[in-house]
Amino acid sequence: MQDSAPAIAFEHLEKSFGSLKVLQGISGSINRGEVVAVIGSSGCGKSTLLRCFNRLETINAGRLVVNGIDLSRSRLDHKQLRRLRAQVGMVFQQFNLFPHLSVMENLMLAPRKVLGHSHAESEKQARFYLEKVGLPEKAGAYPEQLSGGQKQRVAIARSLCMNPQIMLFDEPTSALDPELVGEVLTVMKKLAEEGMTMVVVTHEMQFAREVASRVFFMYQGLVAEEGPARQVLNSPKSDRLRTFLSRMSSVT
């Protein structure tokens, strides 16, 4: 796999749930080191697209290659799936931390089980990434002792412990109280500045404008508008996007 190849490439991608066609044959690519914000109204297919990128959903038609792994096939062997999970991190709306494990244990679990790292190696890495997200003092805490913003920062650190080459974020701030959103976005901005390839489904338009390289605006399972973030968000071409942005500005 050459570094010049896109981190993610998809062509005529289709995904249906029963008779409901959620992705309508979309095409695009995401380059290495790029931050792409995916925006659009609820139900437009944003999260489904993201879930296809790490094989949480299988596609029905089209071609999808993520970090050199062809996800177009109906079956992946265990080795390929394990490689994909290690190389593509995902941060969800609802944190998904194990409540019975401490922060440190949450961070160490996957590197030990999936990557085969030693206890000492996993602990060193976990402490490094806890420091990176600004929570070194929470190593021994349990999820119930953390605020929502702290939980999401721990979830980001947990994904980073797998040394991913691509990070996917599915509306990472939507479950947070407004005053906690900033601390999570700050961590994400730092990752972007360090060159992490990121795909972010978000309703945070200011974050998309300031941090994203490009924006995909999705509408009814299609990429209705796409381009450089500031250009798309400041000078939308379509009435649909103008309407969406005016609605978002009225609720923020």
Side-chain angles (χ1 to χ4, degrees), residues 157-174:
R158 180 179 59 180
S159 286
L160 292 173
C161 282
M162 295 293 285
N163 295 317
Q165 296 180 31
I166 300 168
M167 286 284 285
L168 309 176
F169 294 85
D170 189 6
E171 299 196 35
T173 60
S174 65

Side-chain angles (χ1 to χ4, degrees), residues 90-103:
M90 186 155 180
V91 177
F92 300 87
Q93 297 177 43
Q94 295 294 344
F95 324 130
N96 291 354
L97 299 174
F98 292 108
H100 63 291
L101 299 180
S102 69
V103 165

Side-chain angles (χ1 to χ4, degrees), residues 7 21-22 27 38 50 58 68 77-78 101 141-142 149 174 184 193 227 232:
K21 198 169 185 179
V22 179
S27 301
V38 184
L50 207 68
T58 55
D77 63 38
H78 180 70
L101 299 180
Y142 284 81
S174 65
V184 175
E193 288 166 2
V232 170

Side-chain angles (χ1 to χ4, degrees), residues 227-246:
R230 289 178 183 271
Q231 177 184 310
V232 170
L233 297 175
N234 293 341
S235 305
K237 295 176 183 176
S238 66
D239 289 338
R240 282 194 190 112
L241 181 50
R242 274 192 287 271
T243 301
F244 171 77
L245 292 173
S246 66

Side-chain angles (χ1 to χ4, degrees), residues 53 61 90 122 142 156 206:
F53 288 166
M90 186 155 180
S122 299
Y142 284 81
I156 293 171
Q206 194 59 34

